[in-house]
C-alpha cells in the first residue's frame, strides 16, 4: 500500500541521463499532489482539476470513518473538483501541508505516499475547525510532461477539532 523502498532513486548513479529523467518525474509527481493541495486552498478550479486524470477516483472514506462519516467514493475529475470545491467555497478555508513524499516510478505509472496535514476553518466561525493528519496513497499516470492522479486514497492518523462540522 505505501511506498517503503530503502532508497529514493532506482536509476544507476553513473547513468546521468536516467538520473535526471527520474528526478524530473519525481518532481512532476510531487507537483501533482501540490496542485491538489494548493488548488483547494486557493479554491482555484483550474489548478485543482490539473491534478487529476479524467477517470480519477478520490476515496476519502477511510479518513471519514474515523469520525463516523460515510462519504461516497468520488469518481471522475469533474465530479471530484465540483464536489470538493462546492463543499468548501464560501464556507471553509483550508491549508494543506504535504510532506514525507515517497515515490516509485514504473514507466508511465507511479505510486506516491505522503503525509498531508490539512487545516479546515469555518469562515463564519473560525473557532470551529478540524486539523487532520492524513496518510495519502496515490496512483498516478503520465500525462505528457506532467503527472496526474488516477487514484487517491486518504486515511487519517489523528485529528483535532470537529470534522463533522466541516465535512457534514
Amino acid at each position: 500500500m505505501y511506498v517503503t523502498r530503502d532508497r529514493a532513486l532506482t536509476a544507476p548513479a553513473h547513468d546521468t541521463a536516467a538520473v535526471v529523467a527520474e528526478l524530473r518525474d519525481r518532481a512532476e509527481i510531487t507537483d501533482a499532489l501540490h496542485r491538489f493541495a494548493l488548488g483547494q486552498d486557493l479554491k482555484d478550479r483550474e489548478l485543482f482539476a490539473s491534478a487529476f486524470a479524467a477517470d480519477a477516483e478520490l476515496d476519502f472514506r477511510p479518513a471519514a470513518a474515523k469520525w463516523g462519516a460515510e462519504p461516497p467514493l468520488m469518481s471522475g475529475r469533474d465530479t471530484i473538483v465540483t464536489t470538493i470545491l462546492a463543499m468548501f467555497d464560501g464556507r471553509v478555508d483550508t491549508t494543506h501541508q504535504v510532506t514525507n513524499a515517497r515515490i516509485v516510478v514504473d514507466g508511465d505509472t507511479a505510486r506516491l505516499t505522503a503525509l498531508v496535514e490539512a487545516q479546515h476553518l469555518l469562515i463564519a466561525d473560525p473557532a470551529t475547525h478540524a486539523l487532520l493528519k492524513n496518510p495519502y496513497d496515490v496512483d498516478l499516470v503520465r500525462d505528457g510532461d506532467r503527472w496526474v492522479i488516477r487514484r487517491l486514497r486518504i486515511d487519517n492518523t489523528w485529528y483535532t477539532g470537529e470534522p463533522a462540522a466541516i465535512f457534514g
Side-chain angles (χ1 to χ4, degrees), residues 10-113:
T10 58
H14 68 276
D15 187 345
T16 305
V19 169
V20 169
E22 188 172 349
L23 289 171
R24 178 183 171 84
D25 280 343
R26 293 172 60 80
E28 293 296 336
I29 289 163
T30 304
D31 187 64
L33 193 52
H34 290 157
R35 295 190 315 265
F36 166 86
L38 188 61
Q40 282 184 81
D41 295 345
L42 297 177
K43 296 168 184 66
D44 182 326
R45 184 177 193 83
E46 186 176 325
L47 181 62
F48 189 51
S50 77
F52 295 102
D55 62 346
E57 286 187 357
L58 193 154
D59 189 358
F60 192 67
R61 296 174 301 181
K66 299 284 174 114
W67 60 85
E70 297 178 7
L73 174 69
M74 288 179 252
S75 297
R77 175 179 46 225
D78 293 341
T79 298
I80 293 166
V81 171
T82 299
T83 301
I84 299 291
L85 294 183
M87 181 172 44
F88 293 152
D89 192 34
R91 198 178 73 78
V92 177
D93 279 333
T94 64
T95 57
H96 291 77
Q97 292 81 40
V98 177
T99 188
N100 294 21
R102 302 290 328 277
I103 298 166
V104 173
V105 179
D106 184 13
D108 290 336
T109 64
R111 169 158 268 163
L112 165 66
T113 297

